[in-house]
Amino acid sequence: MLGCMSAMAAENGLLAKNGYERFVRPLLFTLDAETAHHLTVGLLRTASHSNLALRALKSFQPSSKPKKVFGLNFPNPIGLAAGLDKNGVALRAWEALGFGFIEIGTVTAKAQPGNPKPRIFRLPEQQALINRLGFNNDGADAIAYRLAALRESGRWPAVPVGINIGKSKATPLEQATDDYLYSFRMLRDFADYITLNISSPNTPGLRALQEPEKLSALLYAISDEAGIAPKPLVVKVSPDLAGAELKAILAVCEENDVSGIIAANTTLDHSSIPPQLDQAGGLSGAPLRHKSTGLVREIAARSTIPVIASGGIFDAESAREKFHAGAVLIQLYTGLIYRGPQLLREIMDSL
Ligand SMILES: Cc1cc2nc3c(=O)[nH]c(=O)nc-3n(C[C@H](O)[C@H](O)[C@H](O)COP(=O)(O)O)c2cc1C
């Protein structure tokens, strides 16, 4: 009876809001999206240096449910998706909040400012975001320096850290491999796994790297560079791939012993967004949920490469849907912006 009532309440949107939704989100949403982002990451960066603040953040920690994937030990299967901490400034805070792994980046070989502002847009009705940031980041040199200092300080987190690398905007597509190689060389020592981002819609031409020959050349060069001490390599794909394109990508990933596939990045399919609210850029959040789940299911059916699901995870049900589709790990971005850190416990309690 109670279960039935709570299901009805959930359907009617009547379930109690969590503390973040009641008190923090309304304040953050009075600011423009990028200002709110910088404020939040800035606070978490400061918290990363304070044991007292880290202890407070630990009050959000979900129960642990360890999992071993591509040779790495994950205390739980919920990760921070790339893009939230592009410069790797708040690793300890993400760990304290209870993430089972943290993916920083996208990092590019050259520091770059990204696209003109405004470039992140909230769509609360749709529980979505549109962004066209364009890989704004401090660049591989500065980020390697920061990570080296963190390691030196003895405050490196205990959870796996993935580093997501992409192509610098100023580098022509024909020289993409060298650009990725530069970041790979600078950052591999700090990464438990490296993600090759070949699917952001906001760097012109980047998605062309999903073409089999180009992807093959990139994977070959990186594996060659990794030599006898390879790091797990993960490829992040677009949700907008046609069936034949996906099939070809999976074949190339299998040939090159790719360790994991992240499905998926943001989508260019804005058909669910009313035209008056639409913006150029990649769409994330609830409208991406089913497309991303479909892709996870297709990859899991066609390949044995472990899948990390990303796209529209907002609650326990959407998280379980990804695992049922075949994902071994999941990552959060837009759900965290709308639901806050309590989302982790809500998901873990249901698994
Ligand atoms: C503002 C914003 C910035 C992002 N930046 C990156 C990025 O730098 N690299 C990347 O691989 N994905 C990036 N993403 C994509 C997310 O990592 C994630 O794959 C995508 O948003 C789908 O998950 P979600 O629906 O939970 O947000 C970004 C997403 C958003 C909303």
Side-chain angles (χ1 to χ4, degrees):
M1 175 70 178
L2 273 178
C4 178
M5 278 171 66
S6 78
M8 278 164 60
E11 240 167 54
N12 295 324
L14 296 175
L15 267 193
K17 287 182 176 168
N18 68 39
Y20 170 89
E21 291 168 303
R22 267 187 294 166
F23 304 116
V24 181
R25 189 178 70 191
L27 289 176
L28 286 175
F29 277 26
T30 60
L31 305 171
D32 104 276
E34 191 162 350
T35 308
H37 170 86
H38 287 308
L39 178 70
T40 310
V41 174
L43 287 171
L44 292 173
R45 179 182 194 157
T46 307
S48 291
H49 299 287
S50 153
N51 290 338
L52 199 68
L54 290 174
R55 218 170 302 144
L57 292 181
K58 281 183 185 165
S59 64
F60 292 101
Q61 279 209 349
S63 50
S64 68
K65 198 168 186 194
K67 200 164 201 178
K68 196 165 182 161
V69 183
F70 38 80
L72 300 176
N73 292 311
F74 296 81
N76 72 56
I78 309 177
L80 180 75
L84 238 166
D85 190 355
K86 287 179 188 277
N87 295 312
V89 296
L91 295 186
R92 287 297 297 262
W94 303 118
E95 177 194 34
L97 285 170
F99 283 98
F101 64 111
I102 304 159
E103 188 166 314
I104 67 164
T106 295
V107 183
T108 55
K110 300 167 187 154
Q112 54 183 38
N115 291 322
K117 295 177 186 174
R119 51 194 184 173
I120 311 180
F121 306 89
R122 299 188 192 99
L123 295 96
E125 282 275 296
Q126 288 73 22
Q127 296 208 295
L129 296 172
I130 294 176
N131 92 84
R132 50 170 181 266
L133 287 165
F135 293 165
N136 52 315
N137 79 106
D138 294 344
D141 293 357
I143 293 170
Y145 185 80
R146 176 173 301 128
L147 297 178
L150 180 67
R151 181 170 279 170
E152 279 284 288
S153 73
R155 295 177 71 82
W156 193 263
V159 300
V161 174
I163 304 186
N164 176 311
I165 59 177
K167 185 186 80 65
S168 311
K169 189 178 180 188
T171 301
L173 197 62
E174 309 78 64
Q175 289 159 29
T177 296
D178 287 340
D179 200 76
Y180 279 85
L181 273 175
Y182 184 86
S183 301
F184 180 78
R185 285 185 197 117
M186 292 303 297
L187 296 164
R188 66 173 154 195
D189 287 348
F190 305 106
D192 291 298
Y193 71 88
I194 293 273
T195 298
L196 301 178
N197 182 1
I198 50 169
S199 51
S200 165
N202 298 315
T203 294
L206 190 83
R207 285 182 167 196
L209 295 173
Q210 295 181 126
E211 289 164 18
E213 286 109 73
K214 293 196 176 73
L215 178 58
S216 200
L218 178 60
L219 288 171
Y220 183 81
I222 299 269
S223 307
D224 196 41
E225 179 69 29
I228 51 164
K231 285 273 155 88
L233 259 192
V234 171
V235 171
K236 185 163 179 177
V237 298
S238 155
D240 303 325
L241 294 168
E245 291 173 311
L246 177 65
K247 217 170 151 186
I249 289 174
L250 291 178
V252 171
C253 287
E254 281 182 350
E255 271 162 34
N256 288 278
D257 294 326
V258 161
S259 298
I261 296 182
I262 301 179
N265 216 314
T266 54
T267 178
L268 285 176
D269 174 2
H270 291 203
S271 54
S272 56
I273 304 303
Q276 69 277 14
L277 297 178
D278 205 6
Q279 289 285 344
L283 173 67
S284 61
L288 179 57
R289 170 178 168 182
H290 294 296
K291 200 169 189 180
S292 143
T293 303
L295 188 63
V296 170
R297 192 173 292 118
E298 215 175 321
I299 297 172
R302 286 172 186 252
S303 163
T304 54
I305 301 175
V307 187
I308 303 170
S310 157
I313 301 170
F314 266 71
D315 51 19
E317 198 209 320
S318 49
R320 278 200 309 267
E321 176 183 290
K322 298 290 197 252
F323 290 114
H324 287 153
V328 292
L329 301 168
I330 60 173
Q331 291 182 324
L332 308 178
Y333 194 129
T334 307
L336 200 62
I337 306 298
Y338 282 94
R339 305 282 332 281
Q342 277 120 318
L343 176 57
L344 277 78
R345 188 175 288 166
E346 191 180 313
I347 294 173
M348 285 311 297
D349 285 351
S350 82
L351 294 182

